[in-house]
Amino acid sequence: MADDYLVRIGKLIRDARQHRGWTQTQLAEALATSQSAVNRIERGNQNISLEMIARIGEALDSEIVSLGYSGPMHLRVVGGRRLSGSIDVKTSKNACVALLCASLLNKGRTVLRRVARIEEVYRLLEVLNSIGVRTRWINDGMDLEIAPPAHLDMEAIDADAARRTRSIIMFLGPLLHRLRQFKLPYAGGCDLGTRTIEPHMIALRRFGLDITATEGLYHAQVDRSIAPDRPIVLTERGDTVTENALLAAARHDGVTVIRNASSNYMVQDLCFFLEALGVRVDGIGTTTLTVHGVPAIDVDVDYSPSEDPVEAMSLLAAAVVTESELTIRRVPIEFL
C-alpha cells in the first residue's frame, strides 16, 4: 500500500498538472520520462526524490512543496519615531481587475486612471491583448487606455496568462453578450463545481450560459432566448460572483435583481463604472442590486478607480500609533 505522504504529493502534482491543462503524456515529455511513470507518481505508487519534485514544479510552473524554516522567528521593531510628510493612497487592485474585465462590455474607448501596476493586472492585460484588445499606458504610465476590436479572437487567447489569474472567471459575464460560443481556460486552478466556481455558474445560467469543462477549458454555449424572469439569489455572497452577475446583467435588455450580493468596496466601484457606461444600478452599497441593463454600450469613458481601503487604513494606523501628523491624500470616501 502506498505511503500516505506519497499519495498526498501525487495529488498535489495531479492538481497542478490539471491546472496547467496538461495531460500525463505532456508532463512526461517535459520530464523526459514515461506516461506510466507519471501515472504511478500521481497515484502515490512510486518513490519520488526532491530533485524530481523540483523538476515537476518547474515544468508546471507551480511550487509543489514549500520548504521553510520551522524554528522560532524573532523580529525586532525599533519604534518611537515620529512620521511627517504626505502620501497618496494607491488605487485598489481588486477594483482595477474587475474594471479591466468590465471594459469588455464597452465597444468604445475606456481610460482607467492610476491603475495599480501589479502582476494580476499585467496577466489580465496579456490575456486582453492576446484576444485583440489594444491597451497602452498613457500619461507617463499612470493611466491605462483600452480599445476593444470589433471581433474578439478567442482562439488566440494566452492560456498560460489566463491560468495564472483567478480573475479570468469574470470574463464570462461580458463574453456571453459578445459571443454565442467560446472557450476559456480554467480560472486560477479551480475545478468546475468547487465552492469558488459553482456560484458563478448558477448565476450565469440564468442568462443562458451553459458550461462544460474538459481538458483545462471551460466550453461555453450561450442561448440568447434565456433571460432572468425572477430575482437572482446568489448562493455565495462573494465579491467576484457578484461582479460576474453584474457584468452579465449590464447588457441584458431588461431589469435584473441580484440578491445576497456583496456590498464590498470593489463591487461598489464596478457599479459606479457601469453607471458611467450608461447602466443604471439601484441599491449600491446594499445586498440587493437592481440593474437596468442596456443591450449595446459604445461610449468613450474616463474613470478613476477607488483608492485601496486596506492601504489607507494602514497609513492612518501608522499615523495614530506614532502620534504623527500625516497628510494622506485620496482616502476612500467611506473613511471620512
Side-chain angles (χ1 to χ4, degrees):
M1 186 174 185
D3 292 330
D4 287 344
Y5 81 91
L6 290 176
V7 172
R8 291 197 297 270
I9 292 175
K11 184 178 184 302
L12 290 172
I13 293 171
R14 183 199 65 199
D15 291 347
R17 173 180 60 78
Q18 291 177 342
H19 162 48
R20 190 169 178 81
W22 279 11
T23 63
Q24 288 184 343
T25 300
Q26 288 173 303
L27 177 56
E29 291 174 352
L31 299 173
T33 187
S34 65
Q35 181 271 334
S36 59
V38 171
N39 181 267
R40 289 194 300 272
I41 290 171
E42 292 188 354
R43 290 164 53 197
N45 290 336
Q46 180 165 310
N47 288 325
I48 182 170
S49 66
L50 288 176
E51 178 187 0
M52 177 58 81
I53 292 175
R55 287 175 56 200
I56 293 172
E58 183 177 356
L60 296 175
D61 192 23
S62 175
E63 187 177 30
I64 305 299
V65 176
S66 177
L67 301 177
Y69 179 61
S70 60
M73 180 178 293
H74 303 284
L75 301 176
R76 176 177 294 174
V77 179
V78 181
R81 298 179 181 177
R82 291 287 183 90
L83 306 175
S84 63
S86 60
I87 187 169
D88 286 337
V89 178
K90 294 183 175 62
T91 53
S92 163
K93 178 272 291 184
N94 289 325
C96 288
V97 296
L99 298 180
L100 285 175
C101 299
S103 70
L104 289 171
L105 294 169
N106 187 18
K107 294 183 179 180
R109 172 178 172 269
T110 299
V111 174
L112 301 177
R113 301 294 180 185
R114 300 176 62 243
V115 174
R117 302 288 291 257
I118 60 168
E119 284 303 307
E120 190 164 10
V121 166
Y122 291 140
R123 296 293 79 76
L124 283 176
L125 290 178
E126 290 172 0
V127 177
L128 288 170
N129 294 157
S130 69
I131 62 177
V133 178
R134 291 185 293 107
T135 64
R136 66 185 182 112
W137 295 97
I138 58 176
N139 300 331
D140 296 325
M142 290 291 295
D143 307 326
L144 183 64
E145 181 184 71
I146 305 166
H151 303 285
L152 297 173
D153 184 5
M154 296 301 298
E155 293 298 322
I157 192 168
D158 187 335
D160 287 339
R163 292 190 181 102
R164 291 170 66 185
T165 170
R166 190 161 299 188
S167 301
I168 193 68
I169 194 69
M170 286 192 290
F171 274 37
L172 291 174
L175 289 179
L176 68 86
H177 294 291
R178 301 194 57 155
L179 302 163
R180 291 190 179 274
Q181 59 182 21
F182 58 91
K183 291 181 288 186
L184 197 68
Y186 281 177
C190 297
D191 294 328
L192 187 67
T194 63
R195 180 176 179 271
T196 53
I197 296 298
E198 185 59 19
H200 295 256
M201 303 298 107
I202 293 172
L204 297 181
R205 286 189 194 110
R206 300 286 299 281
F207 295 93
L209 181 68
D210 182 65
I211 295 284
T212 57
T214 59
E215 299 178 351
L217 293 171
Y218 300 129
H219 297 259
Q221 296 279 344
V222 183
D223 184 348
R224 299 278 170 78
S225 67
I226 298 175
D229 56 357
R230 62 187 185 279
I232 295 174
V233 181
L234 301 181
T235 58
E236 177 184 279
R237 189 178 293 179
D239 299 324
T240 56
V241 65
T242 302
E243 289 165 333
N244 230 345
L246 281 166
L247 294 170
R251 285 186 54 181
H252 165 57
D253 189 12
V255 178
T256 304
V257 177
I258 304 170
R259 292 181 177 163
N260 196 35
S262 167
S263 59
N264 214 344
Y265 66 93
M266 69 286 289
V267 174
Q268 295 184 43
D269 219 345
L270 176 59
C271 291
F272 294 137
F273 177 73
L274 293 179
E275 291 199 316
L277 295 179
V279 178
R280 181 176 141 206
V281 183
D282 299 328
I284 299 174
T286 74
T287 58
T288 299
L289 299 171
T290 302
V291 183
H292 301 259
V294 291
I297 300 174
D298 188 353
V299 297
D300 290 340
V301 63
D302 190 309
Y303 186 80
S304 296
S306 67
E307 288 69 29
D308 192 321
V310 176
E311 179 173 322
M313 182 56 75
S314 298
L315 296 172
L316 289 170
V320 171
V321 300
T322 59
E323 298 181 351
S324 303
E325 184 174 325
L326 293 177
T327 300
I328 303 171
R329 295 188 295 261
R330 303 177 185 271
V331 176
I333 191 67
E334 57 262 36
F335 284 0
L336 301 179

